[in-house]
């Protein structure tokens, strides 16, 4: 009975920025739970490597090279996913970049460049999937789950990342609005706010990786950083029928760091 509660068999999930890092972790969790998965990423070669790793779980996996900053590409890609897979039951708006700059010397190009991916790209993606889910509901097949990858930057400041915090804070507000607007058709919308997650990109820089691990060990009650696999459970829960009454939330997954005053 417990297995059935979180079983994603028959569901189709779209994950953006899914060929590495957090996105791949989300996609892996969904595939392991039985979902068919659509992977988006800018690089077709990396998409195929990720897809090959996911197919070991016996699910359908399709890929598409998509730059989410380009509205037309997103529109076409959602339509293609629906045509190929038949439907989209869950979307994880994860694609994002991170850059740093002192605020006083931050250029408009850097500011708008980050928002183009992290905020506007998520808007295009969520809007197109919402249109699909709305049309499906009108045909008698209501429901769906939208998951937005946020950040602890929603709740607190990060030096030299004002633009990143602006994008993630805005997405948190978008999530609340969509939860209210789409609730009538049983579409649930929630935001994840991960803490420090050690991805393969971070691991490529051993010095930085060790510094971040030490910081997490000092500040997080669980005394360790997170890893992409630590987010698999929450994304499976939110995509599954187990969360059918859970919407409009911002869920923190940070090893307890934000609960501590030290």
């Amino acid at each position: 009975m417990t297995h059935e509660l979180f079983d994603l068999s028959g569901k189709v999930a779209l994950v953006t920025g899914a060929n590495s890092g957090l996105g791949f972790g989300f996609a892996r969790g969904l595939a392991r739970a039985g979902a068919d998965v659509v992977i988006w990423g800018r690089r077709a070669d990396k998409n195929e490597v990720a897809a090959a790793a996911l197919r070991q779980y016996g699910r359908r996996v399709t890929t598409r090279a998509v730059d989410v900053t380009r509205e037309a590409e997103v529109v076409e890609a959602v339509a293609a996913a629906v045509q190929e897979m038949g439907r989209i039951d869950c979307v994880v708006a994860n694609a994002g970049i991170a850059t740093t700059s002192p605020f006083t010397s931050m250029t408009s190009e850097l500011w708008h460049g980050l928002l183009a991916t992290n905020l506007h790209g998520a808007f295009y993606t969520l809007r197109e999937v919402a249109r699909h889910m709305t049309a499906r509901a009108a045909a008698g097949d209501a429901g769906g789950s939208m998951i937005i990858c946020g950040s602890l930057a929603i709740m607190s400041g990060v030096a030299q990342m004002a633009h990143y915090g602006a994008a993630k804070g805005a997405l948190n507000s978008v999530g609340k609005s969509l939860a209210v607007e789409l609730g009538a058709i049983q579409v649930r919308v929630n935001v994840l706010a991960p803490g420090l997650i050690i991805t393969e990109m971070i691991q490529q820089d051993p010095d930085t990786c060790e510094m971040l691990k030490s910081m997490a060990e000092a500040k997080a009650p669980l005394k360790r950083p997170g890893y992409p696999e630590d987010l698999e459970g929450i994304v499976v829960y939110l995509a599954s029928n187990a969360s059918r009454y859970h919407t409009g939330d911002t869920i923190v997954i940070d090893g307890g760091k934000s609960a501590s005053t030290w």
Side-chain angles (χ1 to χ4, degrees):
M1 184 64 179
T2 302
H3 172 72
E4 294 177 358
L5 192 63
F6 298 95
D7 185 8
L8 300 182
S9 298
K11 294 185 183 294
V12 177
L14 163 64
V15 185
T16 69
N19 59 26
S20 63
L22 291 183
F24 180 74
F26 292 139
R28 181 177 56 208
L30 294 165
R32 288 178 61 191
D36 296 326
V37 182
V38 179
I39 288 177
W40 285 5
R42 294 188 184 189
R43 288 181 49 183
D45 57 340
K46 289 189 66 175
N47 291 348
E48 287 304 323
V49 171
L54 296 180
R55 290 188 181 112
Q56 67 176 302
Y57 301 111
R59 310 312 309 166
R60 289 188 300 163
V61 182
T62 65
T63 71
R64 189 178 179 99
V66 179
D67 180 348
V68 297
T69 69
R70 300 180 182 275
E71 182 177 8
E73 285 191 22
V74 174
V75 173
E76 293 172 4
V78 169
V82 172
Q83 182 176 16
E84 186 168 4
M85 304 295 266
R87 59 191 293 119
I88 297 173
D89 298 284
C90 172
V91 59
V92 184
N94 166 75
I97 60 174
T99 55
T100 60
S101 171
F103 190 70
T104 52
S105 57
M106 184 176 290
T107 64
S108 59
E109 289 79 12
L110 194 69
W111 175 274
H112 291 293
L114 184 138
L115 264 64
T117 298
N118 294 22
L119 179 57
H120 307 325
F123 159 62
Y124 301 144
T125 302
L126 295 167
R127 184 193 65 191
E128 292 309 302
V129 174
R131 287 173 172 173
H132 161 67
M133 290 180 174
T134 300
R136 207 177 67 220
D141 185 11
S145 176
M146 293 183 158
I147 303 166
I148 299 170
C149 187
S151 165
L152 290 187
I154 292 169
M155 291 88 168
S156 57
V158 181
Q160 301 191 16
M161 295 187 74
H163 53 341
Y164 184 85
K168 294 299 186 180
L171 283 176
N172 194 51
S173 293
V174 168
K176 308 300 184 191
S177 295
L178 291 182
V180 173
E181 185 171 341
L182 301 178
I185 59 171
Q186 303 304 303
V187 171
R188 297 169 289 103
V189 187
N190 293 284
V191 177
L192 294 180
L196 173 60
I197 307 297
I198 301 294
T199 64
E200 62 265 33
M201 182 176 294
I202 292 174
Q203 290 173 333
Q204 290 173 5
D205 184 342
D207 291 339
T208 299
C209 186
E210 287 306 312
M211 178 193 69
L212 293 174
K213 285 182 178 180
S214 296
M215 288 174 56
E217 289 168 1
K219 295 184 178 181
L222 291 185
K223 302 303 179 186
R224 69 171 179 86
Y227 295 88
E229 52 266 33
D230 291 319
L231 299 177
E232 291 184 17
I234 190 64
V235 78
V236 169
Y237 162 72
L238 290 176
S240 75
N241 294 335
S243 62
R244 61 186 177 273
Y245 199 60
H246 193 164
T247 194
D249 200 3
T250 301
I251 304 170
V252 175
I253 308 289
D254 70 347
K257 178 181 177 297
S258 59
S260 174
T261 58
W262 296 93

